[in-house]
Structures are given as C-alpha cells and as structure tokens.
Amino acid sequence: MKEKAIGNYQLEICSNSVASAIEAEKGGATRIEFCQNLENGGTTPSYGQLKLVRELVHIGIHVLIRPRGGDFLYTEEEVLEMIADIELCKELGMDGVVIGVLNADGTVDKINTKRLVDAARPMHVTFHRAFDRVEDPFVALEDVIALGIDRILTSGLRDSALSGAPLLQQLIEQANGRIVIMPGAGVDASNIRTILAETGAVAIHSSAKESQPSKMQFSQDQVKGMDEAQWMSSKEKVHQMVDLLKSL
C-alpha cells in the first residue's frame, strides 16, 4: 500500500481496533500501527481484526507483533508465536510489522530479531519501543541498522518524545539517513511541531486517542470491572495534527 506523505512528513497512528483504524484513515493519517490491548502497551491483534482491517482500511497497515505485555525478553515458544503471526500478516497482505526483542542485559537480541526480520520480508519492518529499554541506545541503533530494519519507533528513552527530544536528535544525526527514527509517546497537536523542530524527524507516531465510556444502560453494581471506558483513535485529533503538518 502506497503511503502518502503529509507535506514533508509521515504521521503514523497507533490504532487499537478496527474502528480506531477507520477513524485514523478518515483523519488523514499516513498509516496505522495496528494493535490491541493498548492499555498494556499493545499486543498482536486477532485474526478477525487483521482480516477485517485489511478489507476496510486503505492506508498502510503495520501490525504490532507482541505476544504479551511486560518486558521484551522472549522464550523460544514466544519467538515461534511471533513468527507465526508475522506469516499470517504476510498472507493477509499487511504492509509491515513492528517488532522488538531484547537480551536480559539490555542489548538487542540480534539472533531472534533476525529470525523475525527474515520471516517478515518483503514487508516493511519497524523496531518498536523495546528500543527505549536498551542499556546503550547508540550501540543498539547500530545493531538495528545492521539487521536491515527500516524504522525505529522511540521516545528517546524517556516517558514522552518531548522529554526525549535531545537524544532523538542525536540518534537521527547518528543514523544519517541509514534508518528512519520515528518519535512516539505523548505526541499530540500541542507538541508535534516542537518535537519535529527539535529532533529533525520526518516521521512521527501518535495514538491520537480519547476515552470512550461504556454505552451499557444497565450496570451490575455488585461486580467490579468489565465496564471500563475504552481508548479509541479520534478522527478529529488526527486531523488536527495533519493540518499542523501541512503548515510546516
């Protein structure tokens, strides 16, 4: 799927449902990172979600390959699960996958990452925010580049891309066009221009999310939970950032 730039920039929206992905496309996003369970940092969507989003969404779809919440130190069984999910994404015609595997010492697991990259090709491959848990980002950057990965999603090892902007700028300078460094985490219309200006990035990532309360009319007050509000991408929030990018 051809990904249309917004002026000189690309805007990726993290969408945690088919409905969110549709909203992101309506708002003018370049592509989506598709996941579920955003509350746990995102995990791989189900077969039904993948099949339906590919049928209904016509911008680039890059699927998060993450079997569980928690850290990025995976067992052999979890690696095999991720390979199977990557193969399914390829069969369904997805544009790319988003991966990240670390060793216990905070270095990039080059052996297992290569297995995932090999399984994914010719799809696009992004190394996700597992990067923000590495011990040395400058060494990790070279490892990811050597693996032939196309893009890194990172907040600059901080809780938000805005606070991580100084390191993001350094990483972009070190990368020198060999890989795309895409800031993400806490990006919205209030700070997107500042982050781009301070880092020199040309691609940026946001969830553009808003809380959607339950539409249930009846509430079983004797049972706690299972009626929580859900996060959903907002067409309006996406459109606000698109308009800002067009003005740059």
Side-chain angles (χ1 to χ4, degrees):
M1 187 72 61
K2 185 175 177 60
E3 298 180 355
K4 186 176 181 181
I6 304 166
N8 296 319
Y9 301 96
Q10 294 183 331
L11 175 63
E12 178 178 280
I13 298 298
C14 180
S15 297
N16 64 336
S17 67
V18 176
S20 286
I22 291 171
E23 287 291 291
E25 181 174 27
K26 288 179 179 177
T30 301
R31 60 177 170 266
I32 62 166
E33 180 198 31
F34 193 49
C35 68
Q36 62 178 349
N37 296 322
L38 192 58
E39 296 81 2
N40 291 322
T43 55
T44 304
S46 71
Y47 170 80
Q49 289 174 308
L50 292 169
K51 184 175 184 295
L52 193 58
V53 78
R54 183 69 284 178
E55 293 172 1
L56 298 179
V57 173
H58 308 290
I59 57 177
I61 301 173
H62 297 247
V63 180
L64 178 62
I65 304 298
R66 187 177 181 223
R68 57 166 172 77
D71 63 33
F72 305 101
L73 180 65
Y74 294 115
T75 65
E76 173 63 13
E77 291 77 16
E78 288 171 326
V79 173
L80 292 174
E81 179 183 342
M82 289 190 282
I83 290 172
D85 283 334
I86 288 170
E87 291 171 347
L88 175 60
C89 288
K90 190 183 295 186
E91 292 171 11
L92 291 172
M94 298 301 172
D95 301 286
V97 291
V98 184
I99 64 170
V101 187
L102 301 181
N103 294 311
D105 62 359
T107 58
V108 173
D109 182 343
K110 293 182 282 188
I111 293 173
N112 283 315
T113 300
K114 185 178 186 303
R115 293 170 68 189
L116 301 184
V117 172
D118 289 346
R121 295 306 188 192
M123 292 187 296
H124 188 286
V125 179
T126 299
F127 196 95
H128 59 47
R129 287 193 63 209
F131 190 89
D132 291 320
R133 304 295 300 186
V134 300
E135 190 272 331
D136 187 325
F138 303 108
V139 172
L141 172 59
E142 295 301 327
D143 288 340
V144 173
I145 290 172
L147 288 161
I149 292 172
D150 304 288
R151 184 164 56 226
I152 297 174
L153 168 62
T154 172
S155 62
L157 279 63
R158 294 292 185 268
D159 288 331
S160 72
L162 185 61
S163 59
L167 178 59
L168 287 165
Q169 181 187 34
Q170 290 179 277
L171 292 170
I172 289 170
E173 290 177 354
Q174 180 178 332
N176 194 28
R178 294 176 294 162
I179 193 170
V180 174
I181 305 295
M182 179 171 62
V187 176
D188 58 27
S190 72
N191 59 31
I192 188 170
R193 286 194 288 191
T194 300
I195 293 168
L196 291 171
E198 293 186 359
T199 64
V202 295
I204 196 159
H205 171 103
S206 171
S207 62
K209 64 182 184 290
E210 62 183 8
S211 179
Q212 296 283 341
S214 171
K215 294 182 173 60
M216 285 292 296
Q217 295 177 355
F218 170 77
S219 176
Q220 177 50 270
D221 295 331
Q222 298 181 80
V223 177
K224 292 182 179 180
M226 298 184 288
D227 62 349
E228 299 88 353
Q230 301 297 309
W231 290 110
M232 183 172 172
S233 300
S234 162
K235 174 182 65 178
E236 289 75 19
K237 288 187 176 183
V238 175
H239 192 67
Q240 287 175 359
M241 287 186 285
V242 169
D243 283 346
L244 288 169
L245 293 177
K246 287 179 178 178
S247 70
L248 295 177

